[in-house]
C-alpha cells in the first residue's frame, strides 16, 4: 500500500478544509469574499511560487463545500494563506486551528527528509484534524480523510511521502489536455500530442526561453577598502586582514561568486 499525496490532500482534504475555513471566516465577518480575493491576487508569492499562484475563489465552490483548483495552486494557497489573512484572524479561532493543523500536515508530507519519529506526530495531527473538521463542518468524513489516518504507518514503511507523489508525473496533463482540446482530429491522438510537445521543446531550445544562466561573471575592480567600502562591511573583516591593508597600503581586488564576496591579493584569497 502506498499513498497518493497529490490526490489525497491538495485535490482532496485541502479543498474541503479551505472551503470550510473561508466560509466560517466570512460568516464571522473577519473579511469579505471580495477582500479575500483581492488579497489573493495582490499577494506577492515570490519567484519560486510565481507560476503556481492560486486564482480567485469562486462563490459557487464555497457553497458546494469544495474549492476547485489545481494541486500546485492549492499547495501554494495552503502555504501562504496564513500570511494572506493571518492578521485578521484571532488566534483562539477553531477554524484557524484547523488551518494550522492542515499546514503542519502538508509540511510533514512535503518534507524530502524526515525522522521516523515524525510518523507519530503525523498520526496525532491527522486525528486532531479530522476531529476538528467534523466539529466545524457538522459533516461526516470523506474517504480521503480516512486515507490520512494511514499516512503515519506508511511513512515508516515507504519513507518521505513527497518522494512517492505523482504530482511531477502529472505536471504535463494540463498542457496535454489543452492541446487535445484544440485539435479537431481524433485519429492517432497520441502521436499528435507527442509531435506537438516535441515542437514546443524545440522552440524553447532555439529561443532559449527560461534557459538563460542566472549567474553572471565578470572582471573585478581594484578597490581601496578604507575609502570605497562602507563601515558596516569593514567592521566584519578579520583584524589580520585589516592590519595588513593598513600597514602595507595594498589595493585588493574584490569579486563576487554567487552571493559571496572574496578579496584577493597575488595568489591568496580570503573569504569575507
Amino acid at each position: 500500500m502506498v499513498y497518493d499525496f497529490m490526490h489525497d490532500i491538495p485535490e482532496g482534504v485541502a479543498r474541503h478544509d479551505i472551503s470550510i475555513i473561508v466560509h466560517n471566516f466570512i460568516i464571522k465577518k473577519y473579511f469579505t469574499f471580495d477582500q479575500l480575493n483581492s488579497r489573493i491576487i495582490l499577494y506577492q508569492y515570490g519567484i519560486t511560487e510565481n507560476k503556481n499562484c492560486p486564482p480567485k475563489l469562486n462563490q459557487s465552490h464555497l457553497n458546494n463545500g469544495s474549492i476547485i483548483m489545481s494541486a500546485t495552486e492549492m499547495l501554494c494557497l495552503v502555504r501562504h494563506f496564513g500570511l494572506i489573512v493571518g492578521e485578521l484572524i484571532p488566534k483562539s479561532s477553531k477554524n484557524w486551528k484547523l488551518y494550522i493543523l492542515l499546514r503542519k500536515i502538508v509540511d510533514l508530507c512535503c518534507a524530502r527528509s524526515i525522522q521516523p519519529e515524525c510518523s507519530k506526530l503525523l498520526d496525532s495531527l491527522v486525528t486532531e484534524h479530522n476531529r476538528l473538521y467534523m466539529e466545524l463542518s457538522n459533516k461526516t468524513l470523506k474517504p480521503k480523510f480516512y486515507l490520512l489516518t494511514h499516512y503515519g504507518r506508511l511513512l515508516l514503511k515507504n519513507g518521505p511521502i513527497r518522494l512517492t507523489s505523482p504530482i511531477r508525473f502529472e505536471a504535463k496533463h494540463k498542457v496535454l489536455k489543452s492541446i487535445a482540446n484544440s485539435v479537431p482530429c481524433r485519429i492517432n491522438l497520441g502521436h499528435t500530442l507527442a509531435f506537438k510537445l516535441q515542437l514546443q521543446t524545440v522552440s524553447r531550445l532555439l529561443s532559449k526561453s527560461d534557459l538563460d544562466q542566472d549567474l553572471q561573471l565578470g572582471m573585478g575592480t581594484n578597490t581601496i577598502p578604507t575609502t570605497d567600502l562602507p563601515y558596516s562591511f569593514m567592521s566584519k573583516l578579520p583584524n589580520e586582514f585589516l592590519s595588513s591593508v593598513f600597514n602595507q597600503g595594498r589595493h585588493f581586488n574584490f569579486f563576487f561568486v554567487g552571493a559571496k564576496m572574496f578579496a584577493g591579493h597575488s595568489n591568496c584569497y580570503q573569504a569575507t
Side-chain angles (χ1 to χ4, degrees):
M1 182 178 180
V2 295
Y3 25 58
D4 187 354
F5 167 72
M6 187 189 79
H7 294 99
D8 290 343
I9 297 182
E11 294 186 356
V13 172
R15 289 183 174 183
H16 300 289
D17 280 0
I18 296 298
S19 176
I20 291 296
I21 292 169
V22 170
H23 179 72
N24 291 339
F25 283 165
I26 293 176
I27 290 178
K28 294 184 179 181
K29 298 182 179 180
Y30 294 144
F31 50 75
T32 64
F33 184 74
D34 292 334
Q35 288 175 342
L36 175 60
N37 276 334
S38 297
R39 284 174 173 256
I40 290 175
I41 297 301
L42 298 176
Y43 181 81
Q44 299 296 323
Y45 294 93
I47 298 176
T48 57
E49 298 277 19
N50 192 32
K51 295 182 179 180
N52 303 324
C53 300
K56 288 184 177 181
L57 302 186
N58 194 315
Q59 184 65 55
S60 62
H61 294 168
L62 287 181
N63 298 335
N64 295 332
S66 178
I67 295 178
I68 306 301
M69 61 179 66
S70 68
T72 53
E73 291 171 346
M74 179 57 71
L75 281 177
C76 181
L77 180 61
V78 171
R79 291 192 186 104
H80 296 276
F81 186 76
L83 296 175
I84 294 174
V85 299
E87 77 276 8
L88 304 176
I89 313 301
K91 294 182 179 179
S92 59
S93 172
K94 288 187 176 181
N95 293 279
W96 184 251
K97 292 180 180 178
L98 178 63
Y99 164 72
I100 296 299
L101 290 171
L102 174 64
R103 174 62 192 274
K104 290 181 178 180
I105 292 173
V106 169
D107 287 344
L108 289 176
C109 292
C110 290
R112 291 188 175 273
S113 60
I114 193 170
Q115 295 80 10
E117 293 77 10
C118 290
S119 61
K120 297 181 180 179
L121 173 61
L122 183 57
D123 284 337
S124 63
L125 291 174
V126 169
T127 301
E128 179 63 19
H129 168 272
N130 290 350
R131 183 196 64 79
L132 194 56
Y133 173 82
M134 288 190 295
E135 178 183 344
L136 296 175
S137 63
N138 294 323
K139 298 178 181 178
T140 58
L141 295 177
K142 307 293 190 298
K144 292 185 178 181
F145 286 82
Y146 287 105
L147 294 177
L148 289 184
T149 60
H150 298 283
Y151 270 42
R153 176 172 58 85
L154 295 175
L155 176 62
L156 289 175
K157 182 179 179 181
N158 301 330
I161 297 172
R162 181 186 180 91
L163 301 183
T164 60
S165 173
I167 191 168
R168 294 310 311 149
F169 300 101
E170 297 193 13
K172 284 288 185 180
H173 282 193
K174 186 175 182 179
V175 178
L176 294 174
K177 287 190 292 185
S178 63
I179 296 175
N181 291 331
S182 63
V183 175
C185 180
R186 288 294 181 266
I187 300 176
N188 202 356
L189 183 60
H191 178 270
T192 303
L193 296 178
F195 183 71
K196 290 283 188 179
L197 285 179
Q198 289 175 349
L199 291 178
Q200 288 184 359
T201 303
V202 171
S203 175
R204 182 182 179 188
L205 292 175
L206 292 178
S207 63
K208 295 183 179 180
S209 176
D210 298 329
L211 298 177
D212 296 334
Q213 294 184 357
D214 296 332
L215 180 62
Q216 297 181 358
L217 302 178
M219 297 298 295
T221 57
N222 291 329
T223 304
I224 302 177
T226 56
T227 59
D228 295 346
L229 294 179
Y231 174 77
S232 59
F233 174 79
M234 294 295 297
S235 61
K236 296 180 181 180
L237 294 176
N239 294 329
E240 296 80 2
F241 175 78
L242 293 176
S243 61
S244 64
V245 174
F246 294 148
N247 294 336
Q248 302 180 24
R250 294 177 179 176
H251 287 230
F252 277 73
N253 189 40
F254 286 85
F255 60 95
F256 289 89
V257 177
K260 296 182 179 180
M261 174 179 281
F262 294 87
H265 179 266
S266 299
N267 294 325
C268 299
Y269 297 93
Q270 181 172 356
T272 61

